[in-house]
Amino acid sequence: MAGIYIHIPFCKQACHYCDFHFSTQLKHKDELVAALLLELQIRRNYLGDAPIDSIYFGGGSPSILPAKDIAQILQYIVNNFEVNNAAEITLEANPDDLNKEKLKAYVQMGINRLSIGIQSFIDRDLIWMNRAHNSAEAKSCIKRAQDIGIENLSVDLIYGLPELSDKEWQENIAIALSHDIPHISSYALTVEEKTALASFINNGKQKPLVEEKTAYQFEILQSVMADNHFIHYEISNFCKEGHYAKHNTAYWKGHSYLGIGPSAHSYNQSTREWNIANNHQYIDQIRRDIIPSTIEILSLENRMNEYLMLSLRTIWGADLNYFEDAFGSANKNILLQKAEDKIKNKWLSNANHKLNITNNGKLMADKIAAELFF
Ligand code: SF4
C-alpha cells in the first residue's frame, strides 16, 4: 500500500491562521506545474513497485488551478505508476472555486473524493479568518458537487474562534450534517508562529484564544457526531462507516508515501524527507534534476516515537504486539512503564494489547504521545 501527495502551493488570499506553504502569486503557475511533472518523473521509483492506493491533491488550494492542470498531473501518475483501480483520489477544494464546469471536469478525470475547506457557515467568522468564500457559497458548492455525482465528500470545520458561541458551533455542525456528508474533519483554531493571527494577538489587536472554550467546543463536537452515528476515527476526523479517508489513514498507519511539490513530505519506512518550501527555488532545482529536499534517516527511536505519535491519534491505537515485534520486548516494557501514570489518570487505556487515548485524553493527544517518547 502506498500513496502519492501533490502539493499545489497557491491560494487566492492568505487565511489569517494558516501556516501552510502557499503563494498568492500565480504568475509562475505553469512553471510550477511543469516542475511537479518533472519531479514525478525523477522520483518514479521512490515507492518501488508498491501499488498506489491513494492520490491526494493538497495545498495550498488545488482547486485554484484550471482543471486541465490537475488532469495532466493525474494522467501522468496513472500512466507512470501502478495505480490501483479502486484508488481513492482526493482533491482539496475551496467553495468559491467549485463551479459546475470544474466539478464535471473533476469527475471526468477520475477525482472521486473532495475535501472542501468550508471552515464555517457564518459570514462573520469567514471574514475574520480572511477566507475567500461566504456562507452561501459554502452551502451551494456542497449541493452542486452532490448533484454532479460526487457523494464522497469531506468538509473541514474550525472551532474555538473568538466570536463563535457554543450555540453557533452546534449550528455549524448541524448545517454540515444536514447536507448528508459522510466525512467531517474538524480542527481547533491554533495560533501558529508567523501568521497574521499571531501578530494580531502580539500587537493587542486580537485577544488571545480561550483554551477552555476550545476544549468545550471539542466536547460538543464529539457528542453531536456520536449522536449522529459518526465514527471518531482520528482526533480531528469523523466518518460514516465505510468512509474513512484512505490517504490519511495510510499516513497514520505508517504506510509509505511520495510527496511531490514544494514543502511536500515523503516517507518510505526508513527515511523521511521534505522538499524546500519555496516555489522559485523548487522550480529552479527540479529543472536542474535536483530534488530540493532535506532527508532524515530514521533511527529506532524516531520510528518508535513516530508510531506512537500517529497511532495514538487514531481509534486503532498503538498495537502492543506490533510494537514488540517491530521494536523489541524491552522497548515494549519501557513503553508500558511510561504509560502507567497516564492509565491511572484515565488519559490512556490498555485493553486487548492496545494502548488507546480515552475521551478525557483526546484534546491532549499530542502531549500524551510526546510524554511516551523514547
Ligand atoms: S486556503 Fe487553505 S492553504 Fe490557503 S491560506 Fe487558506 S487555509 Fe491556508
Side-chain angles (χ1 to χ4, degrees):
M1 277 188 96
I4 297 181
Y5 172 83
I6 310 286
H7 190 82
I8 306 295
F10 299 110
C11 291
K12 211 171 267 178
Q13 58 197 52
C15 301
H16 287 159
Y17 56 86
C18 177
D19 72 340
F20 293 147
H21 169 66
F22 66 93
S23 165
T24 51
Q25 300 296 322
L26 271 93
K27 123 169 136 219
H28 297 296
K29 183 266 289 174
D30 290 344
E31 289 98 311
L32 195 284
V33 171
L36 295 175
L37 293 168
L38 211 49
E39 190 186 357
L40 278 166
Q41 187 190 331
I42 300 169
R43 304 182 79 188
R44 64 192 172 283
N45 295 323
Y46 180 83
L47 297 167
D49 49 14
I52 305 300
D53 293 300
S54 64
I55 300 169
Y56 194 101
F57 290 89
S61 307
S63 58
I64 202 172
L65 288 187
K68 69 170 179 35
D69 289 334
I70 299 290
Q72 193 186 3
I73 299 166
L74 186 53
Q75 197 56 54
Y76 187 91
I77 296 173
V78 170
N79 291 347
N80 291 279
F81 291 80
E82 202 59 50
V83 180
N84 196 324
N85 283 340
E88 174 190 88
I89 305 177
T90 304
L91 181 126
E92 280 181 358
N94 283 334
D96 44 309
D97 292 325
L98 289 179
N99 59 39
K100 220 174 177 180
E101 291 64 44
K102 222 169 223 181
L103 285 163
K104 275 188 189 159
Y106 289 156
V107 173
Q108 236 166 23
M109 72 179 81
I111 302 281
N112 51 30
R113 183 170 182 273
L114 287 182
S115 170
I116 309 180
I118 300 268
Q119 316 307 353
S120 174
F121 293 100
I122 301 170
D123 282 329
R124 176 201 65 214
D125 289 341
L126 291 168
I127 293 167
W128 184 87
M129 289 185 269
N130 201 36
R131 297 290 304 180
H133 65 276
N134 59 35
S135 72
E137 283 170 320
K139 290 173 196 156
S140 65
C141 76
I142 299 174
K143 172 95 175 46
R144 232 175 356 261
Q146 288 168 330
D147 286 348
I148 276 171
I150 310 179
E151 301 292 337
N152 199 2
L153 292 178
S154 176
V155 302
D156 286 358
L157 294 177
I158 295 187
Y159 57 92
L161 295 160
E163 297 297 320
L164 181 71
S165 69
D166 296 342
K167 185 167 173 283
E168 287 172 331
W169 173 228
Q170 264 169 327
E171 283 163 7
N172 261 346
I173 305 170
I175 296 172
L177 294 174
S178 73
H179 285 81
D180 203 15
I181 290 164
H183 190 284
I184 292 185
S185 300
S186 187
Y187 304 93
L189 179 69
T190 52
V191 184
E192 306 297 337
E193 277 179 40
K194 295 186 189 152
T195 58
L197 177 57
S199 73
F200 295 158
I201 292 175
N202 289 340
N203 64 25
K205 204 170 146 193
Q206 171 66 53
K207 281 195 197 141
L209 306 180
V210 181
E211 259 179 48
E212 294 72 21
K213 170 181 171 166
T214 304
Y216 188 60
Q217 293 191 348
F218 182 61
E219 273 178 35
I220 293 176
L221 174 71
Q222 293 192 80
S223 132
V224 174
M225 298 309 279
D227 289 349
N228 284 277
H229 313 293
F230 273 70
I231 306 159
H232 190 181
Y233 73 103
E234 195 268 348
I235 299 291
S236 308
N237 286 280
F238 302 80
C239 73
K240 284 278 171 76
E241 188 59 60
H243 286 87
Y244 299 92
K246 277 193 198 170
H247 188 81
N248 289 349
T249 300
Y251 283 153
W252 301 320
K253 291 195 169 180
H255 298 157
S256 302
Y257 54 88
L258 168 61
I260 296 289
S263 82
H265 285 228
S266 301
Y267 171 72
N268 66 0
Q269 311 295 321
S270 55
T271 65
R272 167 172 301 291
E273 56 188 284
W274 51 97
N275 284 352
I276 193 164
N278 178 303
N279 291 0
H280 177 71
Q281 290 178 33
Y282 169 79
I283 294 169
D284 181 57
Q285 296 204 40
I286 290 287
R287 277 178 177 166
R288 290 190 278 126
D289 223 9
I290 300 167
I291 303 296
S293 67
T294 306
I295 302 180
E296 181 186 18
I297 296 169
L298 298 173
S299 63
L300 178 68
E301 282 77 17
N302 290 150
R303 290 194 294 124
M304 288 192 286
N305 295 346
E306 181 138 331
Y307 178 72
L308 293 171
M309 187 72 170
L310 296 175
S311 64
L312 286 173
R313 291 183 62 91
T314 70
I315 196 174
W316 303 284
D319 184 326
L320 293 169
N321 291 336
Y322 168 83
F323 199 89
E324 184 166 14
D325 288 347
F327 310 121
S329 53
N331 284 324
K332 184 191 94 171
N333 292 336
I334 295 172
L335 171 63
L336 285 173
Q337 278 165 16
K338 286 173 188 255
E340 233 168 62
D341 61 323
K342 287 157 187 54
I343 294 169
K344 262 193 214 135
N345 285 333
K346 300 203 171 13
W347 295 338
L348 273 181
S349 66
N350 179 4
N352 305 320
H353 307 287
K354 298 240 166 76
L355 284 182
N356 278 88
I357 299 261
T358 61
N359 277 351
N360 292 342
K362 272 183 182 154
L363 208 57
M364 306 182 283
D366 290 346
K367 184 173 174 282
I368 294 170
E371 286 178 8
L372 298 175
F373 279 0
F374 285 75

Short mmCIF file of all heavy atoms in Angstrom, two decimals, residues 86-92 103 107 110-116 142 145-155 179-184 233 238-247:
data_model
loop_
_atom_site.label_atom_id
_atom_site.label_comp_id
_atom_site.label_asym_id
_atom_site.label_seq_id
_atom_site.Cartn_x
_atom_site.Cartn_y
_atom_site.Cartn_z
N ALA A 86 -9.20 0.79 -7.60
CA ALA A 86 -10.09 1.35 -6.57
C ALA A 86 -9.42 2.47 -5.79
O ALA A 86 -9.85 2.81 -4.69
CB ALA A 86 -10.51 0.23 -5.63
N ALA A 87 -8.36 3.06 -6.33
CA ALA A 87 -7.62 4.09 -5.57
C ALA A 87 -8.55 5.25 -5.21
O ALA A 87 -9.41 5.65 -6.01
CB ALA A 87 -6.44 4.59 -6.38
N GLU A 88 -8.34 5.77 -4.02
CA GLU A 88 -9.04 6.99 -3.59
C GLU A 88 -8.25 8.17 -4.17
O GLU A 88 -7.05 8.28 -3.96
CB GLU A 88 -9.04 7.04 -2.07
CG GLU A 88 -9.62 8.31 -1.49
CD GLU A 88 -9.35 8.40 0.01
OE1 GLU A 88 -8.28 8.92 0.38
OE2 GLU A 88 -10.19 7.93 0.79
N ILE A 89 -8.96 9.05 -4.89
CA ILE A 89 -8.27 10.20 -5.49
C ILE A 89 -8.98 11.46 -4.98
O ILE A 89 -10.10 11.78 -5.38
CB ILE A 89 -8.29 10.12 -7.03
CG1 ILE A 89 -7.69 8.78 -7.48
CG2 ILE A 89 -7.48 11.30 -7.62
CD1 ILE A 89 -7.70 8.54 -8.97
N THR A 90 -8.30 12.14 -4.05
CA THR A 90 -8.91 13.27 -3.35
C THR A 90 -8.33 14.58 -3.84
O THR A 90 -7.14 14.67 -4.13
CB THR A 90 -8.63 13.16 -1.83
OG1 THR A 90 -9.08 11.91 -1.35
CG2 THR A 90 -9.30 14.28 -1.05
N LEU A 91 -9.17 15.59 -3.89
CA LEU A 91 -8.69 16.94 -4.19
C LEU A 91 -9.24 17.89 -3.13
O LEU A 91 -10.43 17.87 -2.83
CB LEU A 91 -9.15 17.37 -5.59
CG LEU A 91 -8.68 18.75 -6.02
CD1 LEU A 91 -7.94 18.70 -7.36
CD2 LEU A 91 -9.85 19.73 -6.14
N GLU A 92 -8.36 18.70 -2.55
CA GLU A 92 -8.80 19.74 -1.61
C GLU A 92 -9.33 20.90 -2.42
O GLU A 92 -8.68 21.34 -3.38
CB GLU A 92 -7.62 20.23 -0.76
CG GLU A 92 -7.28 19.31 0.38
CD GLU A 92 -6.11 19.83 1.21
OE1 GLU A 92 -5.55 20.89 0.88
OE2 GLU A 92 -5.75 19.14 2.17
N LEU A 103 -16.34 21.00 -11.46
CA LEU A 103 -16.79 19.76 -10.82
C LEU A 103 -16.94 18.63 -11.85
O LEU A 103 -16.53 17.50 -11.61
CB LEU A 103 -18.11 20.00 -10.08
CG LEU A 103 -17.98 20.78 -8.77
CD1 LEU A 103 -19.34 21.32 -8.32
CD2 LEU A 103 -17.39 19.89 -7.68
N VAL A 107 -14.87 14.97 -12.10
CA VAL A 107 -15.46 13.64 -12.21
C VAL A 107 -14.88 12.92 -13.43
O VAL A 107 -14.46 11.76 -13.36
CB VAL A 107 -17.00 13.72 -12.34
CG1 VAL A 107 -17.61 12.35 -12.62
CG2 VAL A 107 -17.60 14.31 -11.07
N GLY A 110 -11.39 11.53 -12.99
CA GLY A 110 -11.24 10.42 -12.04
C GLY A 110 -11.09 10.83 -10.59
O GLY A 110 -10.87 9.98 -9.72
N ILE A 111 -11.21 12.14 -10.30
CA ILE A 111 -11.22 12.54 -8.88
C ILE A 111 -12.49 11.93 -8.26
O ILE A 111 -13.59 12.14 -8.78
CB ILE A 111 -11.30 14.09 -8.75
CG1 ILE A 111 -10.15 14.78 -9.46
CG2 ILE A 111 -11.45 14.53 -7.28
CD1 ILE A 111 -8.84 14.80 -8.76
N ASN A 112 -12.33 11.15 -7.19
CA ASN A 112 -13.54 10.52 -6.63
C ASN A 112 -13.83 10.95 -5.19
O ASN A 112 -14.68 10.39 -4.52
CB ASN A 112 -13.46 8.99 -6.73
CG ASN A 112 -12.16 8.45 -6.17
OD1 ASN A 112 -11.59 9.03 -5.26
ND2 ASN A 112 -11.69 7.34 -6.72
N ARG A 113 -13.09 11.96 -4.72
CA ARG A 113 -13.36 12.46 -3.36
C ARG A 113 -12.93 13.92 -3.29
O ARG A 113 -11.85 14.27 -3.79
CB ARG A 113 -12.57 11.62 -2.35
CG ARG A 113 -12.80 11.97 -0.90
CD ARG A 113 -12.16 10.92 0.03
NE ARG A 113 -12.42 11.24 1.41
CZ ARG A 113 -11.66 12.05 2.15
NH1 ARG A 113 -10.58 12.61 1.63
NH2 ARG A 113 -11.97 12.30 3.40
N LEU A 114 -13.78 14.74 -2.69
CA LEU A 114 -13.42 16.16 -2.50
C LEU A 114 -13.36 16.45 -1.01
O LEU A 114 -14.22 16.01 -0.24
CB LEU A 114 -14.47 17.08 -3.12
CG LEU A 114 -14.54 17.20 -4.63
CD1 LEU A 114 -15.62 18.21 -5.01
CD2 LEU A 114 -13.20 17.63 -5.23
N SER A 115 -12.34 17.18 -0.62
CA SER A 115 -12.26 17.66 0.76
C SER A 115 -12.42 19.18 0.68
O SER A 115 -11.55 19.88 0.15
CB SER A 115 -10.89 17.28 1.33
OG SER A 115 -10.69 17.92 2.55
N ILE A 116 -13.56 19.66 1.15
CA ILE A 116 -13.90 21.07 0.91
C ILE A 116 -13.61 21.90 2.17
O ILE A 116 -14.08 21.60 3.27
CB ILE A 116 -15.40 21.23 0.52
CG1 ILE A 116 -15.74 20.27 -0.63
CG2 ILE A 116 -15.68 22.67 0.09
CD1 ILE A 116 -17.18 20.35 -1.10
N ILE A 142 -21.64 22.43 -1.90
CA ILE A 142 -21.85 21.04 -1.48
C ILE A 142 -22.95 20.43 -2.35
O ILE A 142 -22.82 19.34 -2.91
CB ILE A 142 -22.26 20.96 0.01
CG1 ILE A 142 -21.15 21.53 0.90
CG2 ILE A 142 -22.59 19.54 0.41
CD1 ILE A 142 -21.52 21.62 2.38
N ALA A 145 -21.79 19.79 -5.93
CA ALA A 145 -20.93 18.61 -6.04
C ALA A 145 -21.78 17.34 -5.99
O ALA A 145 -21.60 16.41 -6.79
CB ALA A 145 -19.90 18.60 -4.92
N GLN A 146 -22.76 17.33 -5.06
CA GLN A 146 -23.60 16.13 -4.93
C GLN A 146 -24.46 15.94 -6.18
O GLN A 146 -24.64 14.83 -6.66
CB GLN A 146 -24.47 16.24 -3.67
CG GLN A 146 -23.65 16.08 -2.40
CD GLN A 146 -24.41 16.46 -1.14
OE1 GLN A 146 -25.29 17.31 -1.18
NE2 GLN A 146 -24.05 15.85 -0.02
N ASP A 147 -25.00 17.05 -6.73
CA ASP A 147 -25.84 16.94 -7.93
C ASP A 147 -25.06 16.37 -9.11
O ASP A 147 -25.62 15.68 -9.96
CB ASP A 147 -26.41 18.32 -8.31
CG ASP A 147 -27.51 18.75 -7.36
OD1 ASP A 147 -27.97 17.89 -6.57
OD2 ASP A 147 -27.90 19.94 -7.38
N ILE A 148 -23.77 16.68 -9.12
CA ILE A 148 -22.95 16.20 -10.24
C ILE A 148 -22.50 14.75 -10.00
O ILE A 148 -21.98 14.09 -10.88
CB ILE A 148 -21.78 17.19 -10.46
CG1 ILE A 148 -22.31 18.32 -11.34
CG2 ILE A 148 -20.54 16.58 -11.06
CD1 ILE A 148 -21.43 19.50 -11.51
N GLY A 149 -22.75 14.25 -8.81
CA GLY A 149 -22.48 12.83 -8.55
C GLY A 149 -21.29 12.58 -7.64
O GLY A 149 -20.85 11.44 -7.52
N ILE A 150 -20.73 13.63 -7.03
CA ILE A 150 -19.62 13.38 -6.09
C ILE A 150 -20.23 13.24 -4.69
O ILE A 150 -20.54 14.23 -4.03
CB ILE A 150 -18.57 14.51 -6.12
CG1 ILE A 150 -18.15 14.82 -7.56
CG2 ILE A 150 -17.35 14.12 -5.28
CD1 ILE A 150 -17.14 15.95 -7.69
N GLU A 151 -20.40 11.99 -4.27
CA GLU A 151 -21.01 11.73 -2.96
C GLU A 151 -19.94 11.65 -1.88
O GLU A 151 -20.23 11.88 -0.71
CB GLU A 151 -21.76 10.38 -2.99
CG GLU A 151 -22.88 10.29 -4.02
CD GLU A 151 -24.04 11.20 -3.69
OE1 GLU A 151 -24.18 11.55 -2.51
OE2 GLU A 151 -24.79 11.57 -4.62
N ASN A 152 -18.73 11.28 -2.27
CA ASN A 152 -17.67 11.07 -1.29
C ASN A 152 -17.03 12.42 -0.94
O ASN A 152 -16.00 12.81 -1.50
CB ASN A 152 -16.64 10.10 -1.88
CG ASN A 152 -15.78 9.48 -0.79
OD1 ASN A 152 -15.98 9.74 0.40
ND2 ASN A 152 -14.83 8.66 -1.19
N LEU A 153 -17.70 13.12 -0.02
CA LEU A 153 -17.28 14.48 0.32
C LEU A 153 -16.83 14.53 1.77
O LEU A 153 -17.38 13.86 2.63
CB LEU A 153 -18.46 15.45 0.18
CG LEU A 153 -19.00 15.73 -1.22
CD1 LEU A 153 -20.20 16.67 -1.10
CD2 LEU A 153 -17.93 16.36 -2.09
N SER A 154 -15.84 15.38 1.99
CA SER A 154 -15.46 15.70 3.37
C SER A 154 -15.49 17.21 3.48
O SER A 154 -15.15 17.91 2.52
CB SER A 154 -14.05 15.19 3.65
OG SER A 154 -13.66 15.57 4.95
N VAL A 155 -15.93 17.73 4.62
CA VAL A 155 -15.81 19.18 4.81
C VAL A 155 -14.98 19.45 6.05
O VAL A 155 -14.99 18.69 7.02
CB VAL A 155 -17.19 19.90 4.91
CG1 VAL A 155 -18.03 19.66 3.68
CG2 VAL A 155 -17.91 19.55 6.17
N HIS A 179 -26.42 18.30 5.19
CA HIS A 179 -26.09 18.09 3.78
C HIS A 179 -25.71 16.64 3.47
O HIS A 179 -25.23 16.35 2.37
CB HIS A 179 -24.95 19.03 3.37
CG HIS A 179 -25.39 20.45 3.19
ND1 HIS A 179 -25.56 21.32 4.24
CD2 HIS A 179 -25.73 21.13 2.07
CE1 HIS A 179 -25.97 22.48 3.77
NE2 HIS A 179 -26.09 22.39 2.47
N ASP A 180 -25.89 15.78 4.46
CA ASP A 180 -25.67 14.35 4.22
C ASP A 180 -24.24 14.07 3.73
O ASP A 180 -24.04 13.44 2.69
CB ASP A 180 -26.69 13.86 3.18
CG ASP A 180 -26.90 12.36 3.30
OD1 ASP A 180 -26.48 11.80 4.33
OD2 ASP A 180 -27.43 11.76 2.34
N ILE A 181 -23.29 14.58 4.50
CA ILE A 181 -21.88 14.41 4.15
C ILE A 181 -21.31 13.25 4.96
O ILE A 181 -21.55 13.16 6.16
CB ILE A 181 -21.12 15.72 4.50
CG1 ILE A 181 -21.57 16.80 3.52
CG2 ILE A 181 -19.62 15.55 4.43
CD1 ILE A 181 -21.21 18.16 3.99
N PRO A 182 -20.57 12.34 4.31
CA PRO A 182 -20.11 11.16 5.05
C PRO A 182 -18.82 11.35 5.86
O PRO A 182 -18.41 10.44 6.58
CB PRO A 182 -19.87 10.13 3.95
CG PRO A 182 -19.54 10.95 2.74
CD PRO A 182 -20.31 12.23 2.86
N HIS A 183 -18.17 12.51 5.73
CA HIS A 183 -16.88 12.68 6.42
C HIS A 183 -16.70 14.14 6.82
O HIS A 183 -16.92 15.05 6.02
CB HIS A 183 -15.74 12.26 5.48
CG HIS A 183 -14.40 12.17 6.15
ND1 HIS A 183 -13.64 13.28 6.48
CD2 HIS A 183 -13.68 11.09 6.56
CE1 HIS A 183 -12.52 12.88 7.06
NE2 HIS A 183 -12.50 11.57 7.12
N ILE A 184 -16.31 14.35 8.07
CA ILE A 184 -16.03 15.72 8.54
C ILE A 184 -14.67 15.74 9.23
O ILE A 184 -14.38 14.89 10.07
CB ILE A 184 -17.14 16.20 9.51
CG1 ILE A 184 -18.45 16.37 8.71
CG2 ILE A 184 -16.75 17.53 10.18
CD1 ILE A 184 -19.60 16.94 9.49
N TYR A 233 -12.65 8.50 14.25
CA TYR A 233 -11.55 7.55 14.00
C TYR A 233 -10.18 8.16 14.11
O TYR A 233 -9.18 7.44 14.13
CB TYR A 233 -11.75 6.83 12.66
CG TYR A 233 -11.50 7.65 11.42
CD1 TYR A 233 -10.34 7.49 10.69
CD2 TYR A 233 -12.45 8.54 10.94
CE1 TYR A 233 -10.11 8.22 9.54
CE2 TYR A 233 -12.23 9.27 9.79
CZ TYR A 233 -11.06 9.10 9.10
OH TYR A 233 -10.83 9.82 7.95
N PHE A 238 -13.97 12.42 11.54
CA PHE A 238 -15.19 11.68 11.84
C PHE A 238 -15.76 11.18 10.51
O PHE A 238 -15.77 11.93 9.52
CB PHE A 238 -16.23 12.60 12.47
CG PHE A 238 -15.79 13.26 13.74
CD1 PHE A 238 -14.98 14.39 13.69
CD2 PHE A 238 -16.17 12.76 14.98
CE1 PHE A 238 -14.56 15.02 14.86
CE2 PHE A 238 -15.77 13.39 16.16
CZ PHE A 238 -14.96 14.52 16.11
N CYS A 239 -16.24 9.94 10.50
CA CYS A 239 -16.84 9.47 9.24
C CYS A 239 -17.97 8.50 9.50
O CYS A 239 -18.07 7.92 10.58
CB CYS A 239 -15.79 8.82 8.34
SG CYS A 239 -15.27 7.20 8.91
N LYS A 240 -18.81 8.34 8.46
CA LYS A 240 -19.80 7.27 8.47
C LYS A 240 -19.06 5.99 8.10
O LYS A 240 -18.04 6.05 7.38
CB LYS A 240 -20.89 7.58 7.43
CG LYS A 240 -21.86 8.66 7.89
CD LYS A 240 -22.92 8.03 8.79
CE LYS A 240 -23.83 9.00 9.49
NZ LYS A 240 -24.86 9.60 8.66
N GLU A 241 -19.57 4.84 8.55
CA GLU A 241 -18.92 3.57 8.25
C GLU A 241 -18.60 3.49 6.75
O GLU A 241 -19.41 3.86 5.91
CB GLU A 241 -19.87 2.42 8.67
CG GLU A 241 -19.26 1.04 8.60
CD GLU A 241 -18.02 0.88 9.47
OE1 GLU A 241 -18.14 1.07 10.70
OE2 GLU A 241 -16.95 0.58 8.91
N GLY A 242 -17.40 3.03 6.45
CA GLY A 242 -17.01 2.86 5.03
C GLY A 242 -16.47 4.12 4.39
O GLY A 242 -16.15 4.12 3.21
N HIS A 243 -16.37 5.21 5.15
CA HIS A 243 -15.87 6.46 4.55
C HIS A 243 -14.60 6.99 5.22
O HIS A 243 -14.33 8.20 5.18
CB HIS A 243 -16.97 7.53 4.56
CG HIS A 243 -18.02 7.27 3.53
ND1 HIS A 243 -19.11 6.46 3.76
CD2 HIS A 243 -18.11 7.66 2.24
CE1 HIS A 243 -19.84 6.39 2.67
NE2 HIS A 243 -19.25 7.11 1.73
N TYR A 244 -13.81 6.09 5.78
CA TYR A 244 -12.51 6.50 6.31
C TYR A 244 -11.71 7.10 5.15
O TYR A 244 -11.76 6.57 4.04
CB TYR A 244 -11.73 5.28 6.84
CG TYR A 244 -12.40 4.56 7.97
CD1 TYR A 244 -13.25 3.48 7.73
CD2 TYR A 244 -12.20 4.96 9.27
CE1 TYR A 244 -13.89 2.81 8.76
CE2 TYR A 244 -12.82 4.31 10.32
CZ TYR A 244 -13.66 3.24 10.06
OH TYR A 244 -14.28 2.59 11.10
N ALA A 245 -10.97 8.17 5.42
CA ALA A 245 -10.12 8.73 4.37
C ALA A 245 -8.94 7.78 4.19
O ALA A 245 -8.13 7.61 5.10
CB ALA A 245 -9.62 10.11 4.79
N LYS A 246 -8.86 7.13 3.03
CA LYS A 246 -7.81 6.12 2.84
C LYS A 246 -6.43 6.75 2.91
O LYS A 246 -5.51 6.17 3.48
CB LYS A 246 -7.95 5.48 1.45
CG LYS A 246 -8.95 4.38 1.34
CD LYS A 246 -8.71 3.66 0.01
CE LYS A 246 -9.91 2.85 -0.40
NZ LYS A 246 -9.82 2.34 -1.77
N HIS A 247 -6.30 7.91 2.29
CA HIS A 247 -4.96 8.52 2.19
C HIS A 247 -4.43 8.87 3.58
O HIS A 247 -3.32 8.48 3.94
CB HIS A 247 -5.02 9.76 1.30
CG HIS A 247 -3.68 10.32 0.98
ND1 HIS A 247 -2.87 9.82 -0.01
CD2 HIS A 247 -2.98 11.33 1.56
CE1 HIS A 247 -1.74 10.49 -0.04
NE2 HIS A 247 -1.78 11.42 0.90
#
